[in-house]
Amino acid sequence: MAVSPDEFKASLGCRATGVSIVTARHGDVVHGMTVSDFASVSLEPPLVLVSAAKTARTLELIEAGKCFSLNILAADQQDLSNLFASKSKESERFAGLDTREAVTGAPLIPGAKVNLDCALAATHEAGDHVLCIGQVEHVEIQDAEPLVYYQGRYRDLTPIDG
Ligand SMILES: Cc1cc2nc3c(=O)[nH]c(=O)nc-3n(C[C@H](O)[C@H](O)[C@H](O)COP(=O)(O)O)c2cc1C
């Protein structure tokens, strides 16, 4: 029996993931969106993979600018996650945000737990998404707790040993 979109979403929602913002730049235009997860692909060279909906404007910018940054959000960045997922507030996403450019030129989100600056290495169509593989050119890690997403809600990490 075919798996329904609701069943599929419900089953994948049972994975606890981090939350990241992927950003891109083409010329003077910057854009970005929230993604729940990405994959590590290769150690040498260091490659990561983010899956972008074919309808996402961020995908256009990644393909045009040939770079992206992946910013793993800190536990206190829920509002930023919601803002970068909201279509109605699309024009406000970078308002008041003090972004920096790293090696590739993609903007880095301040206050994130990790910033990965990536050059676009390849893209592959997969269903209604495009897999964007990036070679990591620069990494910054901050001392912060990560934001966690599980079954449609934000969480933080509680150690199981109390
Ligand atoms: C927790 C969370 C995870 C998401 N993960 C993805 C994802 O992996 N890929 C994707 O294309 N959209 C994802 N989205 C949806 C986009 O953030 C949303 O559609 C956004 O408005 C797209 O922006 P854009 O079209 O301006 O690029 C996610 C949203 C949330 C709240």
Side-chain angles (χ1 to χ4, degrees), residues 101-116:
E101 270 182 39
V103 179
T104 68
L108 302 181
I109 300 288
K113 166 121 189 99
V114 175
N115 307 108
L116 298 173

Side-chain angles (χ1 to χ4, degrees), residues 17-62:
T17 68
V19 184
S20 299
I21 291 175
V22 57
T23 75
R25 171 187 297 279
H26 183 228
D28 290 340
V29 184
V30 294
H31 201 60
M33 69 174 174
T34 300
V35 293
S36 54
D37 208 7
F38 62 88
S40 63
V41 174
S42 158
L43 199 55
E44 288 183 19
L47 298 176
V48 290
L49 178 159
V50 62
S51 179
K54 284 181 180 170
T55 53
R57 191 169 158 236
T58 304
L59 175 61
E60 285 173 38
L61 264 271
I62 292 174

Side-chain angles (χ1 to χ4, degrees), residues 88 106 112 121:
S88 61

